[in-house]
Amino acid sequence: MSLAVWFSLLTASVVISFTPGAGAINTMSNALSQGWRRSIWGIIGQQLALVVHVVVVAAGVGLLVSQSELLFNGIRYAGAAYLVYLGLRLILAKPTAPVADDALDLVDAHEGHWSMIRRGFWVNLLNPKAIVFFLAFIPQFIRLDEPQLPQYLILLATVIVVDVLVMWGFFAAAARPFRRFTRTARGQRTLNTVFGILFIAVAGLLVFLH
């Protein structure tokens, strides 16, 4: 992969990562409820799903999904249902004990690492449009007349590093000023409701926008 092609890939990856979606909402929600440092676990889960998406596209399965209305809709509705579930769970969640600031290293881990990883993984995985997007995105940066594995590894590393930096450095960090609202039960309910509605709204877009 030439430097010019890689720079184009880098630029596209930054634009894609800054586009708000379920992953960004999940990251901000984690940062508010679990703290900025611990929000990395959800981001790791999202990156694992991204790896699966790229592998699926590289293996040709993505083309099958994009051309099969039954498969595409099945994954689409499953993804929407999962986002609605997450949204309702947030809206109905009972307030918990306040979480201390990360800066004090006194964060009370209300949720396990694996739970956050799993949720991040499924939030990103159950999005068939991500597969379709990568079908259009990847061919622009992969040359068929050159060894493909190194190219895919460079592409995957670039996309993951950029997404982690944007998610953790921007979206998770952007949630930190609102952490003061987690100090009260009313503030927690308000934030849970807001993010719950956002999850449900993204689910609606997933279902109704083709």
Side-chain angles (χ1 to χ4, degrees):
M1 183 179 293
S2 68
L3 184 60
V5 172
W6 179 80
F7 186 76
S8 298
L9 170 64
L10 178 64
T11 303
S13 298
V14 171
V15 173
I16 293 164
S17 293
F18 271 109
T19 303
I25 295 171
N26 186 60
T27 297
M28 294 183 74
S29 177
N30 284 337
L32 285 169
S33 63
Q34 303 297 315
W36 177 76
R37 289 181 181 176
R38 299 193 74 251
S39 68
I40 189 63
W41 297 108
I43 295 171
I44 289 173
Q46 292 169 198
Q47 303 315 306
L48 293 175
L50 189 152
V51 172
V52 173
H53 280 308
V54 173
V55 170
V56 164
V57 171
V61 180
L63 185 61
L64 177 64
V65 172
S66 68
Q67 293 180 342
S68 171
E69 186 175 355
L70 180 63
L71 281 176
F72 183 84
N73 286 334
I75 299 174
R76 182 160 63 99
Y77 288 123
Y82 184 64
L83 292 178
V84 169
Y85 160 74
L86 292 179
L88 291 176
R89 191 176 72 168
L90 271 177
I91 293 172
L92 299 175
K94 294 181 179 180
T96 60
V99 181
D101 287 332
D102 287 340
L104 300 177
D105 292 326
L106 294 173
V107 175
D108 183 12
H110 291 163
E111 185 176 3
H113 297 165
W114 286 112
S115 176
M116 297 175 70
I117 290 173
R118 283 195 303 270
R119 189 172 67 253
F121 177 78
W122 288 111
V123 162
N124 260 12
L125 186 69
L126 292 174
N127 185 357
K129 294 190 176 183
I131 297 178
V132 175
F133 171 78
F134 277 114
L135 275 173
F137 178 76
I138 289 178
Q140 301 179 52
F141 305 101
I142 302 296
R143 293 195 55 173
L144 298 180
D145 59 340
E146 297 179 2
Q148 294 189 30
L149 181 58
Q151 295 181 77
Y152 274 106
L153 291 177
I154 292 173
L155 182 144
L156 196 55
T158 301
V159 172
I160 287 177
V161 169
V162 168
D163 199 56
V164 169
L165 290 176
V166 171
M167 288 295 154
W168 209 28
F170 180 77
F171 287 110
R176 297 186 77 173
F178 298 96
R179 290 266 289 160
R180 65 181 183 274
F181 292 109
T182 65
R183 301 287 179 253
T184 65
R186 181 179 180 181
Q188 290 182 36
R189 281 194 294 266
T190 299
L191 289 173
N192 285 342
T193 299
V194 169
F195 280 95
I197 291 173
L198 287 174
F199 270 122
I200 294 172
V202 172
L205 291 176
L206 190 62
V207 170
F208 296 110
L209 291 185
H210 298 276

